[in-house]
Amino acid sequence: MVADAVVYHPTVDHYLRYVATTVGRDKILRTLQYFSRFYAWYLFRTNHSPGEIAPYEAIKKQFGLSRKLTRVGKFVEHFQMAAKAADTRAMDPVLKYCAVGRQLGYGFYLTFDAITYFDAAGIKPNSAAKRLQREAYKAWLFGLICNAAAGFYTLYYLRKRELAVNKKDAEGTVEEKKLQRERSAASLQLISDLCDITIPSTFVGYLNLDDGIVGLAGTVSSLIGVWAAWKKTA
């Protein structure tokens, strides 16, 4: 039967595994949030009515608030990962310091971000919320810069290894293909980080980008995240 073919199709099982993960659901919400940010800007710039823009502004706000709630408490994970990275002796020193910096940045970002939730949700106003949110974005930016630095370093290191591979023998060919896969993954992550950097750097005023650019950049990085989470649940 057609219904059985759909219900028992491997893609349906994969989808269920995907949506069962917090990361998978978050990436979908994030994609819709940032696309709505871009599209609301587009409608405004093309002189559409406030009534047409309002639904996308609501999606941007409500999905952002929902994601903020799901992040509460996650700072513990990043502080733990920072401690573990600092204790690792087998890691390349540059990547080690970048990993520690990234995890500390994300940890402080999520700490400040969680404190501002009750104010953002309208539950309990906090006069320090704007300042704390600004500090949160600064911490996120620091973490992203550390991750981007690690990405550039990884690509440089992989390029050096590729040049040293002997492509004439079978083992060299296998190693080359492995390095190409690693380089592809590192490049994709770097693109995601560079897109994300536009978000906190615009919020704190280091860059002067409009919602159209920030929304598109956030959509691209979110789609990369969706794809990565989809692959992990395969």
Side-chain angles (χ1 to χ4, degrees):
M1 292 179 63
V2 176
D4 288 341
V6 173
V7 169
Y8 294 105
H9 196 278
T11 303
V12 176
D13 290 334
H14 188 178
Y15 165 77
L16 292 174
R17 289 194 301 272
Y18 178 84
V19 296
T21 65
T22 303
V23 172
R25 296 192 301 272
D26 176 73
K27 295 304 179 184
I28 291 174
L29 289 176
R30 191 178 193 272
T31 301
L32 295 172
Q33 176 192 351
Y34 280 100
F35 178 76
S36 295
R37 182 171 180 171
F38 160 74
Y39 199 59
W41 170 86
Y42 170 78
L43 292 176
F44 175 77
R45 291 295 298 269
T46 50
N47 297 318
H48 283 70
S49 68
E52 293 174 293
I53 299 171
Y56 299 99
E57 289 287 354
I59 290 173
K60 178 181 73 173
K61 181 180 178 181
Q62 295 303 325
F63 282 18
L65 192 60
S66 298
R67 292 183 58 242
K68 183 188 281 283
L69 177 59
T70 62
R71 293 194 297 263
V72 172
K74 201 172 184 297
F75 64 91
V76 177
E77 175 189 351
H78 290 283
F79 285 135
Q80 183 190 58
M81 292 176 72
K84 288 182 177 180
D87 290 337
T88 303
R89 296 182 179 180
M91 189 183 296
D92 181 289
V94 175
L95 295 179
K96 177 178 178 177
Y97 292 130
C98 286
V100 172
R102 176 180 74 248
Q103 298 300 342
L104 287 176
Y106 292 170
F108 281 112
Y109 161 61
L110 292 170
T111 300
F112 293 134
D113 187 66
I115 295 172
T116 65
Y117 173 75
F118 291 105
D119 178 83
I123 298 171
K124 185 177 181 181
N126 184 347
S127 59
K130 288 186 178 180
R131 180 178 59 81
L132 289 171
Q133 193 64 62
R134 183 179 175 83
E135 294 304 317
Y137 275 98
K138 285 181 179 179
W140 183 24
L141 178 59
F142 177 77
L144 288 170
I145 290 173
C146 287
N147 209 35
F152 282 116
Y153 179 81
T154 299
L155 290 174
Y156 169 74
Y157 177 70
L158 290 173
R159 180 58 181 164
K160 284 184 65 177
R161 286 180 59 188
E162 279 188 73
L163 293 174
V165 169
N166 184 359
K167 301 177 183 178
K168 295 181 180 180
D169 58 37
E171 288 185 7
T173 302
V174 172
E175 180 68 13
E176 183 185 22
K177 289 181 179 179
K178 178 185 174 184
L179 291 173
Q180 286 176 349
R181 288 194 298 271
E182 290 180 12
R183 185 155 55 88
S184 177
S187 298
L188 199 61
Q189 182 58 52
L190 180 59
I191 291 170
S192 177
D193 290 332
L194 293 177
C195 286
D196 278 343
I197 282 173
T198 64
I199 302 167
S201 57
T202 299
F203 185 91
V204 299
Y206 296 151
L207 293 178
N208 185 25
L209 303 176
D210 58 38
D211 271 6
I213 295 175
V214 174
L216 274 181
T219 301
V220 170
S221 66
S222 299
L223 288 172
I224 291 173
V226 167
W227 182 79
W230 181 262
K231 281 187 66 178
K232 285 183 179 180
T233 54

